[in-house]
Coordinates of all heavy atoms in Angstrom, one line a residue:
Chain B
Y213 N 7.2 85.7 1.9 CA 7.2 87.2 2.0 C 7.9 87.5 3.4 O 7.5 86.9 4.4 CB 5.9 87.9 1.9 CG 6.0 89.3 2.4 CD1 6.5 90.4 1.8 CD2 5.6 89.6 3.8 CE1 6.6 91.7 2.3 CE2 5.8 90.8 4.4 CZ 6.3 91.8 3.6 OH 6.3 93.1 4.2
E214 N 8.9 88.3 3.5 CA 9.5 88.7 4.7 C 9.7 90.1 4.8 O 10.3 90.7 3.8 CB 10.8 87.9 4.8 CG 11.1 87.4 6.2 CD 12.4 86.6 6.3 OE1 12.7 85.8 5.4 OE2 13.1 87.0 7.2
K215 N 9.5 90.8 5.9 CA 9.8 92.0 6.1 C 11.4 92.3 5.9 O 12.0 91.5 6.5 CB 9.3 92.5 7.5 CG 9.1 94.0 7.6 CD 8.5 94.2 9.1 CE 8.5 95.7 9.4 NZ 7.9 95.9 10.7
L216 N 11.7 93.4 5.4 CA 13.1 93.7 5.1 C 13.9 93.9 6.4 O 13.5 94.5 7.3 CB 13.3 94.8 4.2 CG 13.3 94.6 2.8 CD1 13.7 95.8 2.0 CD2 14.1 93.4 2.3
T217 N 15.1 93.1 6.5 CA 15.9 93.4 7.6 C 17.2 94.1 7.0 O 17.5 93.9 5.8 CB 16.4 92.2 8.2 OG1 16.8 91.2 7.2 CG2 15.3 91.5 9.1
T218 N 17.9 94.9 7.8 CA 19.0 95.6 7.2 C 20.2 94.8 7.7 O 20.5 94.4 8.7 CB 19.1 97.0 7.9 OG1 17.8 97.6 8.0 CG2 20.1 97.9 7.2
K219 N 21.0 94.5 6.6 CA 22.2 93.7 6.9 C 23.5 94.4 6.2 O 23.3 94.7 4.9 CB 22.0 92.3 6.5 CG 23.3 91.5 6.8 CD 23.0 90.0 6.5 CE 24.3 89.3 6.6 NZ 25.1 89.3 7.8
T220 N 24.5 94.5 6.8 CA 25.6 95.1 6.2 C 26.9 94.2 6.3 O 26.9 93.3 7.2 CB 26.0 96.5 6.8 OG1 26.3 96.2 8.3 CG2 25.0 97.5 6.6
T221 N 27.9 94.3 5.5 CA 29.0 93.6 5.6 C 30.2 94.4 5.2 O 30.1 95.5 4.5 CB 28.9 92.4 4.6 OG1 30.1 91.6 4.8 CG2 28.9 92.8 3.2
L222 N 31.4 94.0 5.7 CA 32.6 94.7 5.4 C 33.5 94.0 4.4 O 33.8 92.9 4.7 CB 33.2 94.8 6.8 CG 34.3 96.0 7.0 CD1 33.6 97.4 7.0 CD2 35.1 95.8 8.3
I223 N 33.7 94.6 3.3 CA 34.6 94.0 2.3 C 35.6 95.0 2.0 O 35.3 96.1 1.6 CB 33.8 93.5 1.1 CG1 32.7 92.5 1.4 CG2 34.7 92.9 0.1 CD1 31.9 92.1 0.3
N224 N 36.9 94.6 2.1 CA 38.1 95.5 1.9 C 37.9 96.8 2.6 O 37.9 98.0 1.9 CB 38.3 95.6 0.5 CG 38.6 94.3 -0.3 OD1 39.2 93.4 0.4 ND2 38.4 94.2 -1.5
D225 N 37.4 96.9 3.9 CA 37.2 98.0 4.6 C 36.2 99.0 4.2 O 36.0 100.1 4.7 CB 38.5 99.0 4.7 CG 39.7 98.2 5.4 OD1 39.4 97.3 6.2 OD2 40.9 98.3 5.0
S226 N 35.3 98.5 3.3 CA 34.2 99.3 2.9 C 32.9 98.6 3.3 O 32.8 97.5 3.3 CB 34.1 99.4 1.3 OG 35.3 99.7 0.8
I227 N 32.0 99.4 3.8 CA 30.7 98.8 4.3 C 29.7 98.7 3.2 O 29.6 99.7 2.4 CB 30.1 99.6 5.5 CG1 31.0 99.7 6.7 CG2 28.7 99.3 5.8 CD1 30.6 100.6 7.7
F228 N 29.2 97.6 3.0 CA 28.2 97.4 2.0 C 26.9 97.0 2.7 O 26.8 96.2 3.6 CB 28.6 96.2 1.0 CG 29.7 96.5 0.2 CD1 31.1 96.3 0.5 CD2 29.5 97.1 -1.1 CE1 32.2 96.6 -0.2 CE2 30.6 97.4 -1.9 CZ 31.9 97.1 -1.5
Q229 N 25.8 97.5 2.1 CA 24.5 97.1 2.6 C 23.8 96.2 1.6 O 23.8 96.3 0.4 CB 23.6 98.4 2.8 CG 22.2 98.0 3.2 CD 21.6 99.1 4.1 OE1 22.3 100.1 4.4 NE2 20.4 99.0 4.4
Y230 N 23.3 95.0 2.2 CA 22.7 94.1 1.4 C 21.3 94.5 0.8 O 20.6 95.1 1.6 CB 22.4 92.7 2.1 CG 23.6 92.0 2.4 CD1 24.5 92.3 3.4 CD2 23.9 90.8 1.7 CE1 25.6 91.5 3.7 CE2 25.0 90.0 1.9 CZ 25.9 90.4 2.9 OH 26.9 89.7 3.2
K231 N 21.0 94.2 -0.4 CA 19.7 94.5 -1.0 C 18.9 93.1 -0.8 O 19.1 92.3 -1.7 CB 19.8 94.9 -2.4 CG 19.3 96.3 -2.7 CD 19.6 96.6 -4.1 CE 18.1 97.0 -4.8 NZ 18.4 97.4 -6.1
L232 N 18.1 92.9 0.2 CA 17.6 91.5 0.4 C 16.2 91.5 -0.2 O 15.4 92.5 -0.2 CB 17.6 91.4 1.9 CG 18.9 91.3 2.6 CD1 18.7 91.2 4.1 CD2 19.6 89.9 2.1
P233 N 15.9 90.4 -0.8 CA 14.6 90.3 -1.4 C 13.4 90.2 -0.4 O 13.6 89.5 0.6 CB 14.6 89.0 -2.3 CG 15.7 88.3 -1.7 CD 16.7 89.2 -1.0
R234 N 12.3 90.9 -0.6 CA 11.2 90.8 0.3 C 10.5 89.5 0.0 O 10.0 88.8 0.8 CB 10.2 91.9 0.0 CG 10.6 93.2 0.6 CD 9.4 94.3 0.5 NE 9.7 95.5 1.1 CZ 10.3 96.5 0.4 NH1 10.7 96.3 -0.9 NH2 10.6 97.6 0.9
N235 N 10.4 89.1 -1.3 CA 9.7 87.9 -1.8 C 10.7 87.0 -2.4 O 11.5 87.5 -3.2 CB 8.7 88.3 -2.8 CG 7.5 89.0 -2.1 OD1 6.7 88.4 -1.4 ND2 7.4 90.3 -2.4
V236 N 10.6 85.7 -2.0 CA 11.4 84.7 -2.7 C 10.4 83.7 -3.2 O 9.6 83.1 -2.4 CB 12.4 84.0 -1.6 CG1 13.1 82.9 -2.3 CG2 13.3 85.1 -1.1
A237 N 10.5 83.3 -4.5 CA 9.6 82.3 -5.1 C 10.4 81.0 -5.4 O 11.7 81.1 -5.7 CB 8.9 82.9 -6.3
A238 N 9.7 80.0 -5.4 CA 10.2 78.6 -5.7 C 9.2 77.9 -6.6 O 7.9 78.1 -6.4 CB 10.6 77.8 -4.5
F239 N 9.7 77.1 -7.6 CA 8.8 76.4 -8.4 C 9.3 75.0 -8.5 O 10.4 74.7 -8.4 CB 8.8 77.0 -9.9 CG 8.7 78.5 -9.9 CD1 9.7 79.4 -9.7 CD2 7.4 79.0 -10.1 CE1 9.5 80.7 -9.7 CE2 7.1 80.4 -10.1 CZ 8.2 81.2 -9.9
A240 N 8.3 74.1 -8.8 CA 8.7 72.7 -9.0 C 7.7 72.0 -9.9 O 6.6 72.4 -10.0 CB 8.7 72.0 -7.6
G241 N 8.3 71.0 -10.7 CA 7.4 70.2 -11.5 C 7.8 68.8 -11.3 O 8.9 68.4 -11.1
R242 N 6.8 67.9 -11.5 CA 7.1 66.5 -11.3 C 6.4 65.5 -12.3 O 5.3 65.9 -12.8 CB 6.7 66.1 -9.8 CG 5.3 66.3 -9.4 CD 5.1 66.1 -8.0 NE 3.7 66.2 -7.6 CZ 3.1 67.4 -7.2 NH1 3.7 68.4 -7.2 NH2 1.8 67.3 -6.9
L243 N 6.9 64.4 -12.3 CA 6.2 63.3 -13.3 C 6.5 62.0 -12.6 O 7.5 61.7 -12.1 CB 7.1 63.4 -14.7 CG 6.9 62.3 -15.5 CD1 5.5 62.3 -16.2 CD2 7.9 62.4 -16.7
N244 N 5.4 61.2 -12.7 CA 5.5 59.9 -12.2 C 4.8 58.9 -13.2 O 3.7 59.2 -13.7 CB 4.7 59.8 -10.9 CG 4.8 58.4 -10.2 OD1 5.5 57.4 -10.8 ND2 4.3 58.2 -9.0
I245 N 5.6 58.0 -13.9 CA 5.0 57.1 -14.9 C 5.3 55.7 -14.3 O 6.4 55.3 -13.8 CB 5.9 57.2 -16.2 CG1 5.7 58.6 -16.8 CG2 5.3 56.2 -17.2 CD1 6.5 58.7 -18.1
S246 N 4.2 54.8 -14.4 CA 4.5 53.5 -14.0 C 3.8 52.6 -15.1 O 2.9 52.9 -15.8 CB 3.9 53.3 -12.7 OG 2.6 53.4 -12.7
H247 N 4.5 51.4 -15.2 CA 4.1 50.5 -16.2 C 4.3 49.1 -15.7 O 5.5 48.7 -15.4 CB 4.7 50.7 -17.6 CG 4.2 49.7 -18.6 ND1 3.1 49.8 -19.3 CD2 4.8 48.5 -19.1 CE1 2.9 48.7 -20.1 NE2 4.0 48.0 -20.0
R248 N 3.3 48.3 -15.3 CA 3.4 47.1 -14.6 C 4.4 47.2 -13.5 O 4.1 48.0 -12.6 CB 4.0 46.0 -15.6 CG 3.0 45.7 -16.8 CD 3.6 44.8 -17.7 NE 2.7 44.7 -18.9 CZ 1.9 43.7 -19.2 NH1 1.8 42.7 -18.3 NH2 1.1 43.6 -20.2
G249 N 5.4 46.5 -13.4 CA 6.3 46.6 -12.2 C 7.3 47.8 -12.2 O 8.1 47.9 -11.4
I250 N 7.3 48.6 -13.2 CA 8.3 49.7 -13.4 C 7.7 51.0 -12.9 O 6.7 51.4 -13.3 CB 8.9 49.8 -14.8 CG1 9.4 48.4 -15.4 CG2 9.8 50.9 -15.0 CD1 9.7 48.4 -16.8
N251 N 8.5 51.7 -12.2 CA 8.0 53.0 -11.7 C 9.1 54.0 -11.8 O 10.2 53.8 -11.2 CB 7.5 52.8 -10.2 CG 6.6 54.0 -9.8 OD1 6.3 54.9 -10.5 ND2 6.1 53.8 -8.6
F252 N 8.8 55.1 -12.4 CA 9.8 56.2 -12.6 C 9.1 57.4 -12.0 O 8.0 57.8 -12.3 CB 10.1 56.4 -14.1 CG 11.0 57.6 -14.2 CD1 12.4 57.6 -13.7 CD2 10.6 58.7 -14.9 CE1 13.2 58.7 -13.9 CE2 11.4 59.9 -15.1 CZ 12.7 59.8 -14.6
L253 N 9.9 58.1 -11.2 CA 9.4 59.4 -10.6 C 10.5 60.4 -10.6 O 11.7 60.1 -10.3 CB 9.1 59.0 -9.1 CG 8.4 60.0 -8.1 CD1 7.6 59.2 -7.2 CD2 9.4 60.8 -7.5
T254 N 10.2 61.6 -11.0 CA 11.1 62.7 -11.0 C 10.6 64.1 -10.6 O 9.4 64.2 -10.9 CB 11.9 62.7 -12.3 OG1 13.0 63.6 -12.2 CG2 11.1 63.2 -13.5
E255 N 11.3 64.9 -9.9 CA 10.8 66.1 -9.6 C 12.0 67.1 -9.7 O 13.2 66.8 -9.2 CB 10.2 66.2 -8.2 CG 9.7 67.6 -7.9 CD 8.7 67.6 -6.6 OE1 8.5 66.6 -6.0 OE2 8.1 68.6 -6.5
Y256 N 11.8 68.3 -10.3 CA 12.8 69.3 -10.4 C 12.3 70.6 -9.6 O 11.1 70.9 -9.9 CB 13.2 69.6 -11.8 CG 14.0 70.8 -12.0 CD1 15.4 70.7 -11.7 CD2 13.5 72.1 -12.4 CE1 16.3 71.8 -11.8 CE2 14.3 73.2 -12.4 CZ 15.7 73.0 -12.2 OH 16.5 74.2 -12.2
A257 N 13.1 71.2 -8.9 CA 12.8 72.5 -8.2 C 13.7 73.5 -8.4 O 14.9 73.3 -8.5 CB 12.5 72.2 -6.7

Side-chain angles (χ1 to χ4, degrees):
Chain B
Y213 163 81
E214 219 182 315
K215 199 174 171 179
L216 274 191
T217 47
T218 317
K219 186 178 162 59
T220 55
T221 185
L222 202 65
I223 300 174
N224 298 336
D225 296 332
S226 319
I227 293 176
F228 290 88
Q229 178 148 352
Y230 285 80
K231 244 177 122 175
L232 295 167
R234 286 189 179 88
N235 290 289
V236 175
F239 308 88
R242 60 187 185 270
L243 164 72
N244 187 355
I245 301 179
S246 64
H247 180 76
R248 293 172 192 261
I250 301 170
N251 196 359
F252 174 67
L253 185 151
T254 188
E255 182 163 8
Y256 172 77

